[in-house]
Amino acid sequence: MKTHLPRMGKFTKRILILTTTLVLCIIQLSKYQDSDVISQVLSLEYVNSVDDWPYGIKFARYSTEKDSPVDWKWLKILDKLLIPGCNIVDIGANDGDTALILAVAAKGGTVVAFEMGTAIDMLRVNKRLNPHLKIDIHHYAVSNYTGTVRYQSGTGPGYELGGNGGITSNSSSNYEVSSVRLYPFLLEFYGKEFVDNICMVKIDTEGHDAVILSDMDPQFRPRVLWVEWFLRFMFYDWDNLVLEDEDECTPGSKSLFDIPQSLGYQVFNPYFPLRKAPGCQTKHYITDLLLLKNEFVKTIGNKLDNEPEIHLKWERLGI
C-alpha cells in the first residue's frame, strides 16, 4: 500500500527555499571569513605559512621554521585515558602546536594554555585560526610563587621570536612577566567546578617542570600529567657538553621520577604499549614522560586491560 505525502503549500515551499538559501549563504560567508583571516595571518612578518591539519585545524608556522611532522601519538594515547568533555591545562604552550591537539583530545572541554614568552603572539594567531576549538590563553609564567620572573628564549626555529624559552635568573634579560601558582590561579579564575573537571596537565617549561610539580596542591590531582624530560638533564656539564654516565641520574632527571612518586603518580613511557619508564638513568632518556595517578592505574580495570596495546594489568603484576 502506497503512502502519499501531503503536498507542500506555497508558503511552506517559500520557507524551505528561504531556509536553504540562508544556510548556503552562511556557509559561503564562513568560507570568505576563513579566507580573510588566513590572508591577514599570512601578512604577518613572522608567519611563513598556514598548514591544514586533521580535524579542521589551521596551523600557522614561523617564517624561520622548517616543515616538521606533527606527532599525533598524543591523540592516540589520550583517547584511551581522558574523559570526553574534561578540561586540560597546557603549561608552556609555545605557538599552540600541542594546545590545538589537546583541544581535540578534550572533546568539547577547554584547554587552559599558559605561555610566558613572546610566542604568545603566535599562540593567539593559532587560536584565531581555530575558533571551533576551546582554548583560553594566559600570558603568565607558572611557578611556585606569585610575582615577577625573567624570561629568556632559547635557540632554533622560532626561538628568536620567543619560542621554547623559560624562566631565567639571568639579570641581563629585560623581558619580565608575571608568575602565578597553578592551583590558586585556576581556582580563582575558573572556579571549583571547572578545576574539578581538569583531567590532564601538560608541562613543557625548559627545566622548570619539577618546580611546578612540587607546588601542586594536595587537592589537585588530575589523572594524567605529561611532562618534558629536559634535554639538559642528560648532561653532567651542559656548558662543556659532557654527558652524564649512562647508568647515572642527574639531579634534574631524578627529580622527574621522585616528585611524581611523592605526589601519587607512576611514570610511564608515552607510547604504546604503555609500560613504566625503567628509570631516570641517562640511558633511558626520552623527550617526554607520561605520569598516571596511582588510583587511576589501579581502578582502570577492563576499560584498558582489554586493549592489546595497553597491558596495564601486566604492569600491576610486575610482568
Side-chain angles (χ1 to χ4, degrees), residues 297-313:
V297 175
K298 291 175 184 176
T299 62
I300 207 162
N302 293 330
K303 180 181 178 183
L304 294 189
D305 281 338
N306 290 334
E307 297 281 349
E309 291 182 311
I310 307 295
H311 310 320
L312 284 179
K313 183 185 294 181

Side-chain angles (χ1 to χ4, degrees), residues 240-280:
N240 295 301
L241 298 181
V242 179
L243 282 169
E244 177 59 276
D245 185 89
E246 66 171 12
D247 293 317
E248 298 293 332
C249 300
T250 64
S253 293
K254 191 172 186 297
S255 69
L256 293 178
F257 284 77
D258 290 349
I259 294 174
Q261 183 177 3
S262 70
L263 296 175
Y265 288 85
Q266 298 179 38
V267 183
F268 287 81
N269 291 328
Y271 45 78
F272 286 141
L274 283 185
R275 295 288 194 178
K276 288 180 183 175
C280 59

Side-chain angles (χ1 to χ4, degrees), residues 81 196 198-199 216 218-225 260 263-268 290-300 312 316:
L81 301 177
D196 287 345
I198 293 174
C199 58
M216 280 183 58
Q219 300 179 71
F220 185 59
R221 291 291 184 272
R223 62 165 59 183
V224 177
L225 304 176
L263 296 175
Y265 288 85
Q266 298 179 38
V267 183
F268 287 81
L290 177 64
L291 315 182
L292 300 181
K293 190 178 176 182
N294 286 340
E295 289 78 3
F296 178 51
V297 175
K298 291 175 184 176
T299 62
I300 207 162
L312 284 179
R316 290 200 294 274

Side-chain angles (χ1 to χ4, degrees), residues 21-31 33:
T21 303
L22 180 61
V23 170
L24 291 174
C25 286
I26 291 173
I27 292 173
Q28 195 66 28
L29 179 61
S30 176
K31 289 181 179 179
Q33 289 175 334

Side-chain angles (χ1 to χ4, degrees), residues 88-298:
I88 299 175
V89 177
D90 185 355
I91 305 174
N94 199 354
D95 57 8
D97 55 345
T98 55
L100 295 170
I101 297 174
L102 292 176
V104 174
K107 296 182 178 178
T110 298
V111 172
V112 180
F114 291 93
E115 174 51 46
M116 68 175 294
T118 52
I120 190 77
D121 295 330
M122 186 65 98
L123 177 59
R124 287 169 175 152
V125 164
N126 279 315
K127 175 185 175 178
R128 186 184 177 199
L129 286 169
N130 297 278
H132 61 294
L133 299 176
K134 296 180 180 178
I135 301 175
D136 289 350
I137 297 175
H138 299 283
H139 190 196
Y140 293 116
V142 177
S143 191
N144 58 353
Y145 68 96
T146 300
T148 302
V149 296
R150 287 188 172 90
Y151 171 85
Q152 183 168 314
S153 180
T155 57
Y159 283 44
E160 70 279 5
L161 299 170
N164 290 66
I167 293 175
T168 181
S169 57
N170 188 349
S171 59
S172 65
S173 171
N174 59 4
Y175 191 110
E176 293 187 339
V177 62
S178 297
S179 66
V180 298
R181 297 179 63 211
L182 181 61
Y183 183 71
F185 175 86
L186 292 173
L187 206 58
E188 180 179 356
F189 194 93
Y190 289 99
K192 191 174 188 302
E193 183 178 355
F194 182 96
V195 173
D196 287 345
N197 193 36
I198 293 174
C199 58
M200 175 181 174
V201 175
K202 167 251 167 181
I203 312 174
D204 183 350
T205 56
E206 307 304 298
H208 203 65
D209 298 36
V211 174
I212 297 171
L213 287 173
S214 65
D215 192 55
M216 280 183 58
D217 191 279
Q219 300 179 71
F220 185 59
R221 291 291 184 272
R223 62 165 59 183
V224 177
L225 304 176
W226 195 301
V227 302
E228 175 196 26
W229 191 343
F230 192 35
L231 179 62
R232 291 192 185 191
F233 290 169
M234 291 181 63
F235 291 82
Y236 173 80
D237 182 349
W238 170 255
D239 292 334
N240 295 301
L241 298 181
V242 179
L243 282 169
E244 177 59 276
D245 185 89
E246 66 171 12
D247 293 317
E248 298 293 332
C249 300
T250 64
S253 293
K254 191 172 186 297
S255 69
L256 293 178
F257 284 77
D258 290 349
I259 294 174
Q261 183 177 3
S262 70
L263 296 175
Y265 288 85
Q266 298 179 38
V267 183
F268 287 81
N269 291 328
Y271 45 78
F272 286 141
L274 283 185
R275 295 288 194 178
K276 288 180 183 175
C280 59
Q281 293 81 5
T282 301
K283 64 184 176 183
H284 298 309
Y285 173 81
I286 50 178
T287 56
D288 298 295
L289 296 169
L290 177 64
L291 315 182
L292 300 181
K293 190 178 176 182
N294 286 340
E295 289 78 3
F296 178 51
V297 175
K298 291 175 184 176

Side-chain angles (χ1 to χ4, degrees), residues 52-104:
D52 289 311
W53 284 4
Y55 305 96
I57 294 175
K58 302 286 185 184
F59 182 70
R61 291 187 180 275
Y62 284 113
S63 56
T64 57
E65 184 180 13
K66 295 180 180 179
D67 289 347
S68 56
V70 181
D71 192 349
W72 292 97
K73 70 179 180 183
W74 290 61
L75 273 184
K76 187 177 181 181
I77 295 174
L78 297 180
D79 184 61
K80 305 292 186 182
L81 301 177
L82 302 185
I83 304 167
C86 70
N87 303 314
I88 299 175
V89 177
D90 185 355
I91 305 174
N94 199 354
D95 57 8
D97 55 345
T98 55
L100 295 170
I101 297 174
L102 292 176
V104 174

